[in-house]
Amino acid sequence: MDFIFARKTDWPSLLRIIFWAVFFLYNASATLPEVQENNLYARAVAGTRVTPVTTIDNDPRFIRDDLPLPTKNGVRIAWITDSTGVIYLPDRSILNTMYADLKFISVHVLKLLEEKRGLKDASIDISPILAVKTIENLSAVAALIETRPQMIVMSLNPTWIFYGYEILSKKAFLNKASALWIKHSETWPWMLMIASPVNHLWALAGQHFKIIRQSTLYKPMFQPPPPEEDGTKKKQSRKKISDTIFWVCSSSTKENCETILIADQKHNMEFVYNEFFKLSDPASNGFAAWSLQNTLDILEKSGIPTLIYTAPASEKIKKDAEAYKKILLINDAISGLRKKYEGTNIRIIDRIPENIQRSATYLNNDNFHIVAPGKLDDFLADEIWHTIQQYHIAEKRNNR
Amino acid sequence: MYDFSYDSHEYFFDLLAFSFLLLPCFFLPVSALARRLMMIVAGMYMIYFIAPRLVVFYLAFWVGIFLLHRLIAFTEKRGGANGIFWATILIVLSPLVCWKVLGDTFSHEMNIVLNNLFRQASQILWELDMASGLVGTIGLSFATFRALDLLIKTYLGKLERLRFDEVMFYGFFPPVQIVGPIIEYEEIARLEQKPDSQKIYEGLLRIASGFFKIFLLAGALKGTVGVFGHTDGMPIWQVWLNLIGYSWYFYLNFSGYSDLSIGIAKLYGFDLKENFNFPFFKRNIKEFWNSWHMSLSRFAQRNIFIPCGGYRAGTQYVALLATMMTIALWHDISIPMVLYGLYHFTGLTVQRHYAARTTTAAPSAAATHILHVLLTYLFVLLSFPLIPLKFGELLPFYKALVGM
């Protein structure tokens, strides 16, 4: 090994090493074969003018590279949502559902805009990040703003918006996040506090080198998928408990913690989310509240007409008096934000009317995830149309 | 139930990325104090990205070590020095022993207690701390033995009284915080004034070597870990093959991280001592332990073996036993590791007897050399299951090795 390690070198040699490393990265990026993007929602949007634009969980690019943005002509709507914007299968919990089985409420909404309002050239660029937390939500907003849509629709999930026990879950997105955050001074402190040095390096290098930016797409070529466990092994292995359950348990009594753990293992999301709710604090000055405020400030500064709605909840939530009380507090806090942003480009629906919420069909043991939208899609279509009218969006439609 | 594991490579990726900024700053023409402070802040910042609560933990740990170091130095020539020294050793060992004995319970409580400190101080810091997820006391084994080495040297008068920044620099020295090596203070006492192109080149090569070992070589063998506890119905040859694969996985992973630590330190002008020297190619068990996790062996030799009379005929075996048990229990306080220590003590004892009875001979023929290497590797290989397996799982595994 001496011929490598004992070789004498000097500063020009080191510069040469750097040059060749950069040269390799450029050439590798230029000669990489094209790899198909992961489009797990293809079935959900087939034949529609809805385009899922964000990458999947472990892919840090946020926005897919293969989409020419703007994706379509006409009235372009960017829709930022999470699992509450998705329609599930009735016989599965949200944790057992495959991507291919999901549908989007926005597809229904777009169809209604076309049929009832004659808006035949509207399109939706949807960012459906399941289980999105407050930091990812802001980053999705920042990413979609860059595509300059005519309008933004954003859903607020009452479970997470004031929930400080889990402000971030998809850490892979941090690799791109700092490139988004640097454009918004509200998030500059986050560049030191949340994004690590390697996140910054990835964000910087990813902009220039495709081989780095698209590394997730090429991973399956080098790393075969893990072998499927056989049935006996599956029985032996216990489901790993999430970190958020740990923190929730640490704030609970021992008995309550055991109940939460059992509910989590059995996918009783109604109980689990109720417990999360009770720990939300709309009055706190924590990170979740800070993040929501930053999100709204960024939207306001963008000047893009924005409709924000709070995701509906099932009547079943009233069975837990404490959780219901908390959701009313959350609604009040959002109502305060609605008043604060009146007269700006942001319209906030702090609470979807009760009859609309009741019309949707929800998953068993779940208060927020729906299997049928009921009148929700109609309601949202009307609100979107109202926003389009209010801000004369149709007159500013995109024409290429 | 809860997952306290952490992928160490994330730390090194962060450190390397941060080095783009830190390295030029480190060689600015400023005082040594300023440069040590840079490294201290860098070390803390790197730990912050594992979990902010770990910064609190290690800050308290190393401040405590500084105070104990000063206490020992102060009482050096006074009465009661002996008692104070042993009390400090027990104090320093206690977090490590608690962690090894209590396992996940300790990690569980550590996470809650430290997180609650943030809750009292700041809502934002509290929520940020929770966002980093659960962690174990990563690097505590290495930190404890580094601290012990510092205190023992202070007691023996081999180390002068250090300033606060010097102890914190030793504690938070970024390249070695997570996976060692267990460096001595003297290895980083001197700060180079200017960057050295040769060292930077060697450091980069060493880092490349580390990544190659970890991601390519060890990565290819990662599946062999699954053999432990899953040997039912497995043919003998497959059990052996997986065990051999595991031994190489363990070595490549561990030595790969040592390469990263040594390589990164070299970028900053520090020449750390080697930690591995092709241990699977040694002719006897003594040579093996002189080339496997050498920083731990060196620690054990100077702080256990020699003081216990390792070079005296009457006490050499007691010293040897104490040394091997220290090395074994450093990994884990469990019955398998006690067996591990006894096993290697036996091997070393036999080797000593054999060496004492063998006169110096001409270098052995190639075939004999290869035979010695294979036998030594086989001896070491048979002790590898003691590392990952619990006591109740040992017999079934060793039975599987012989087809029972």
Side-chain angles (χ1 to χ4, degrees), chain A residues 96-113:
Chain A
N96 284 338
T97 305
M98 313 287 281
Y99 281 107
D101 297 326
L102 300 177
K103 291 184 172 43
F104 295 125
I105 292 172
S106 51
V107 168
H108 293 239
V109 168
L110 194 61
K111 197 172 166 195
L112 285 165
L113 283 171

mmCIF file of all heavy atoms in Angstrom, chain A residues 96-113:
data_model
loop_
_atom_site.group_PDB
_atom_site.id
_atom_site.type_symbol
_atom_site.label_atom_id
_atom_site.label_comp_id
_atom_site.label_asym_id
_atom_site.label_seq_id
_atom_site.Cartn_x
_atom_site.Cartn_y
_atom_site.Cartn_z
ATOM 1 N N ASN A 96 -51.423 0.255 6.321
ATOM 2 C CA ASN A 96 -51.371 -0.952 5.497
ATOM 3 C C ASN A 96 -51.775 -0.694 4.059
ATOM 4 O O ASN A 96 -52.024 -1.619 3.303
ATOM 5 C CB ASN A 96 -52.325 -2.016 6.067
ATOM 6 C CG ASN A 96 -51.727 -2.653 7.310
ATOM 7 O OD1 ASN A 96 -50.529 -2.617 7.506
ATOM 8 N ND2 ASN A 96 -52.582 -3.212 8.142
ATOM 9 N N THR A 97 -51.871 0.574 3.695
ATOM 10 C CA THR A 97 -52.337 0.895 2.348
ATOM 11 C C THR A 97 -51.158 1.115 1.425
ATOM 12 O O THR A 97 -50.199 1.796 1.775
ATOM 13 C CB THR A 97 -53.212 2.168 2.381
ATOM 14 O OG1 THR A 97 -54.261 1.970 3.319
ATOM 15 C CG2 THR A 97 -53.796 2.465 1.021
ATOM 16 N N MET A 98 -51.248 0.542 0.223
ATOM 17 C CA MET A 98 -50.196 0.734 -0.781
ATOM 18 C C MET A 98 -50.452 2.049 -1.508
ATOM 19 O O MET A 98 -51.595 2.503 -1.613
ATOM 20 C CB MET A 98 -50.241 -0.405 -1.809
ATOM 21 C CG MET A 98 -50.354 -1.787 -1.217
ATOM 22 S SD MET A 98 -48.802 -2.305 -0.469
ATOM 23 C CE MET A 98 -47.902 -2.788 -1.935
ATOM 24 N N TYR A 99 -49.399 2.621 -2.046
ATOM 25 C CA TYR A 99 -49.520 3.861 -2.817
ATOM 26 C C TYR A 99 -50.519 3.690 -3.967
ATOM 27 O O TYR A 99 -51.309 4.593 -4.259
ATOM 28 C CB TYR A 99 -48.166 4.249 -3.417
ATOM 29 C CG TYR A 99 -47.226 4.911 -2.454
ATOM 30 C CD1 TYR A 99 -46.120 4.238 -1.963
ATOM 31 C CD2 TYR A 99 -47.432 6.222 -2.045
ATOM 32 C CE1 TYR A 99 -45.244 4.851 -1.079
ATOM 33 C CE2 TYR A 99 -46.550 6.840 -1.167
ATOM 34 C CZ TYR A 99 -45.465 6.153 -0.699
ATOM 35 O OH TYR A 99 -44.592 6.751 0.164
ATOM 36 N N ALA A 100 -50.463 2.528 -4.615
ATOM 37 C CA ALA A 100 -51.298 2.322 -5.809
ATOM 38 C C ALA A 100 -52.789 2.332 -5.481
ATOM 39 O O ALA A 100 -53.621 2.483 -6.367
ATOM 40 C CB ALA A 100 -50.921 1.009 -6.480
ATOM 41 N N ASP A 101 -53.139 2.143 -4.209
ATOM 42 C CA ASP A 101 -54.550 2.100 -3.840
ATOM 43 C C ASP A 101 -55.121 3.474 -3.515
ATOM 44 O O ASP A 101 -56.325 3.620 -3.297
ATOM 45 C CB ASP A 101 -54.738 1.203 -2.601
ATOM 46 C CG ASP A 101 -54.352 -0.231 -2.891
ATOM 47 O OD1 ASP A 101 -54.570 -0.674 -4.024
ATOM 48 O OD2 ASP A 101 -53.814 -0.886 -1.975
ATOM 49 N N LEU A 102 -54.273 4.472 -3.440
ATOM 50 C CA LEU A 102 -54.728 5.788 -3.000
ATOM 51 C C LEU A 102 -55.353 6.581 -4.142
ATOM 52 O O LEU A 102 -54.980 6.433 -5.301
ATOM 53 C CB LEU A 102 -53.539 6.587 -2.433
ATOM 54 C CG LEU A 102 -52.831 5.970 -1.229
ATOM 55 C CD1 LEU A 102 -51.640 6.827 -0.828
ATOM 56 C CD2 LEU A 102 -53.778 5.811 -0.068
ATOM 57 N N LYS A 103 -56.297 7.442 -3.772
ATOM 58 C CA LYS A 103 -56.881 8.391 -4.728
ATOM 59 C C LYS A 103 -56.802 9.768 -4.088
ATOM 60 O O LYS A 103 -56.635 9.905 -2.888
ATOM 61 C CB LYS A 103 -58.327 8.007 -5.017
ATOM 62 C CG LYS A 103 -58.483 6.712 -5.802
ATOM 63 C CD LYS A 103 -59.924 6.451 -6.122
ATOM 64 C CE LYS A 103 -60.153 5.299 -7.065
ATOM 65 N NZ LYS A 103 -59.373 4.089 -6.849
ATOM 66 N N PHE A 104 -56.987 10.799 -4.924
ATOM 67 C CA PHE A 104 -56.889 12.161 -4.404
ATOM 68 C C PHE A 104 -58.239 12.860 -4.450
ATOM 69 O O PHE A 104 -58.976 12.754 -5.434
ATOM 70 C CB PHE A 104 -55.903 12.985 -5.226
ATOM 71 C CG PHE A 104 -54.484 12.505 -5.133
ATOM 72 C CD1 PHE A 104 -53.768 12.201 -6.275
ATOM 73 C CD2 PHE A 104 -53.853 12.371 -3.907
ATOM 74 C CE1 PHE A 104 -52.452 11.756 -6.198
ATOM 75 C CE2 PHE A 104 -52.551 11.918 -3.821
ATOM 76 C CZ PHE A 104 -51.848 11.624 -4.970
ATOM 77 N N ILE A 105 -58.516 13.609 -3.392
ATOM 78 C CA ILE A 105 -59.715 14.455 -3.374
ATOM 79 C C ILE A 105 -59.608 15.486 -4.497
ATOM 80 O O ILE A 105 -60.603 15.856 -5.123
ATOM 81 C CB ILE A 105 -59.844 15.159 -2.008
ATOM 82 C CG1 ILE A 105 -60.163 14.127 -0.934
ATOM 83 C CG2 ILE A 105 -60.904 16.242 -2.038
ATOM 84 C CD1 ILE A 105 -60.116 14.689 0.483
ATOM 85 N N SER A 106 -58.395 15.947 -4.757
ATOM 86 C CA SER A 106 -58.191 17.009 -5.747
ATOM 87 C C SER A 106 -58.636 16.570 -7.144
ATOM 88 O O SER A 106 -59.038 17.413 -7.953
ATOM 89 C CB SER A 106 -56.724 17.433 -5.770
ATOM 90 O OG SER A 106 -55.895 16.308 -5.911
ATOM 91 N N VAL A 107 -58.579 15.278 -7.441
ATOM 92 C CA VAL A 107 -59.048 14.793 -8.749
ATOM 93 C C VAL A 107 -60.556 15.040 -8.865
ATOM 94 O O VAL A 107 -61.044 15.518 -9.892
ATOM 95 C CB VAL A 107 -58.705 13.294 -8.910
ATOM 96 C CG1 VAL A 107 -59.430 12.705 -10.099
ATOM 97 C CG2 VAL A 107 -57.202 13.106 -9.057
ATOM 98 N N HIS A 108 -61.267 14.743 -7.785
ATOM 99 C CA HIS A 108 -62.711 14.998 -7.769
ATOM 100 C C HIS A 108 -62.996 16.491 -7.895
ATOM 101 O O HIS A 108 -63.904 16.911 -8.615
ATOM 102 C CB HIS A 108 -63.322 14.501 -6.446
ATOM 103 C CG HIS A 108 -63.286 13.019 -6.289
ATOM 104 N ND1 HIS A 108 -64.428 12.265 -6.113
ATOM 105 C CD2 HIS A 108 -62.274 12.134 -6.281
ATOM 106 C CE1 HIS A 108 -64.116 10.988 -5.995
ATOM 107 N NE2 HIS A 108 -62.800 10.883 -6.093
ATOM 108 N N VAL A 109 -62.212 17.283 -7.174
ATOM 109 C CA VAL A 109 -62.424 18.736 -7.170
ATOM 110 C C VAL A 109 -62.222 19.299 -8.571
ATOM 111 O O VAL A 109 -63.016 20.117 -9.050
ATOM 112 C CB VAL A 109 -61.464 19.406 -6.152
ATOM 113 C CG1 VAL A 109 -61.453 20.903 -6.326
ATOM 114 C CG2 VAL A 109 -61.847 19.026 -4.734
ATOM 115 N N LEU A 110 -61.187 18.839 -9.229
ATOM 116 C CA LEU A 110 -60.891 19.352 -10.576
ATOM 117 C C LEU A 110 -62.002 18.997 -11.547
ATOM 118 O O LEU A 110 -62.414 19.822 -12.388
ATOM 119 C CB LEU A 110 -59.559 18.763 -11.053
ATOM 120 C CG LEU A 110 -58.939 19.443 -12.267
ATOM 121 C CD1 LEU A 110 -58.648 20.904 -11.968
ATOM 122 C CD2 LEU A 110 -57.648 18.731 -12.669
ATOM 123 N N LYS A 111 -62.510 17.798 -11.377
ATOM 124 C CA LYS A 111 -63.614 17.360 -12.253
ATOM 125 C C LYS A 111 -64.846 18.243 -12.047
ATOM 126 O O LYS A 111 -65.525 18.641 -12.993
ATOM 127 C CB LYS A 111 -63.935 15.906 -11.908
ATOM 128 C CG LYS A 111 -64.738 15.174 -12.963
ATOM 129 C CD LYS A 111 -64.848 13.698 -12.638
ATOM 130 C CE LYS A 111 -65.928 13.112 -13.534
ATOM 131 N NZ LYS A 111 -66.364 11.799 -13.097
ATOM 132 N N LEU A 112 -65.099 18.593 -10.795
ATOM 133 C CA LEU A 112 -66.253 19.449 -10.480
ATOM 134 C C LEU A 112 -66.046 20.862 -11.030
ATOM 135 O O LEU A 112 -66.992 21.496 -11.515
ATOM 136 C CB LEU A 112 -66.483 19.498 -8.970
ATOM 137 C CG LEU A 112 -67.106 18.225 -8.383
ATOM 138 C CD1 LEU A 112 -66.960 18.208 -6.863
ATOM 139 C CD2 LEU A 112 -68.580 18.118 -8.776
ATOM 140 N N LEU A 113 -64.829 21.351 -10.958
ATOM 141 C CA LEU A 113 -64.541 22.687 -11.505
ATOM 142 C C LEU A 113 -64.793 22.697 -13.014
ATOM 143 O O LEU A 113 -65.303 23.685 -13.566
ATOM 144 C CB LEU A 113 -63.081 23.069 -11.224
ATOM 145 C CG LEU A 113 -62.760 23.517 -9.797
ATOM 146 C CD1 LEU A 113 -61.258 23.646 -9.584
ATOM 147 C CD2 LEU A 113 -63.428 24.864 -9.483
#
